[in-house]
Amino acid sequence: SSVEEAERLAGHFVLTVDDERSKDIWGPAAQELIAALLLAAKASGGTMHDVYDWLNDEANPTPVEVLREVGYRGLAASLAGMQGSPAETRGSVYFTARVAARCLRNPEITAWITPPTVPVVTALVLFMAVGCGGDAGGRMAGGHGSRNVVVDTARVLALAVPAEHRGGERLFNANCVGCHGKAAIGTAQGPPLLHIYYEPNHHSDAAFQMAVTRGVRQHHWSFGDMPPVPGLGPADVRQIAGYVRWLQREAGVY
């Protein structure tokens, strides 16, 4: 529902492009293209199906018209400029965007991330749970099982934090929010903690302690290694973990 949310979701799509050269050269433009189409779909009451249809119709004027109508004039102008750019440039950007969104060709995945009651922006967490490199069952690494978790990010962000977890919230916001996002919903720099990868049976509270103290090598995601977080003691991490567990329970992760 905002440019920031659309860019965040678009960034997660572009992160899945395997060709590093294409990602470096065309990735920023592809991310802006996907973000514009996501906002147009949201504004018009559309779904991720519309986003993929527009990615395969480089001259379709509908998303530009929708963006202008709802007041995103700068983004509309940028998209119109892309559509009017030389064929080679336009084709490269659209091709990179289609590769990034290739999972939308899979009807099982699109059926999961576009249920009737889920708006386009909520697909942020859904997409990160599946990813274009994952599967429609949201299967976890190591044969941990499969379970679909639909997180209503708007509801999570609006939650009133109980007094017992406000200290953990303050510590989280001061040390973790830059990568893991407000209310742990994730950013373009780091994964959401409201994910089955991080439920207690898979990622214990002790793992939070070790991550803060030692850092973590990249494994489930493509954000790079997590460095140690200086200045936090075991008691601080326990408060952060308590806050995250409360968020996970509220979000239905476990």
Side-chain angles (χ1 to χ4, degrees), residues 179 189 215-219 221-228:
C179 292
Q189 285 73 50
V216 181
R217 293 290 299 271
Q218 173 181 300
H219 48 300
W221 309 90
S222 300
F223 296 103
D225 298 343
M226 172 184 164

Side-chain angles (χ1 to χ4, degrees), residues 10 15 46 75 77 99 189 203 207 231 233 247 253:
L15 281 170
L75 206 54
V99 170
Q189 285 73 50
H203 195 94
L247 287 170
V253 173

Side-chain angles (χ1 to χ4, degrees), residues 103-156:
C103 59
L104 300 182
R105 296 194 299 257
N106 185 329
E108 294 183 357
I109 290 179
T110 52
W112 183 44
I113 66 173
T114 55
T117 58
V118 176
V120 168
V121 292
T122 305
L124 169 62
V125 173
L126 292 176
F127 171 74
M128 290 189 293
V130 179
C132 278
D135 63 33
R139 298 190 190 283
M140 299 170 62
H144 190 66
S146 63
R147 181 162 60 87
N148 294 347
V149 178
V150 178
V151 176
D152 185 341
T153 56
R155 176 185 172 277
V156 170

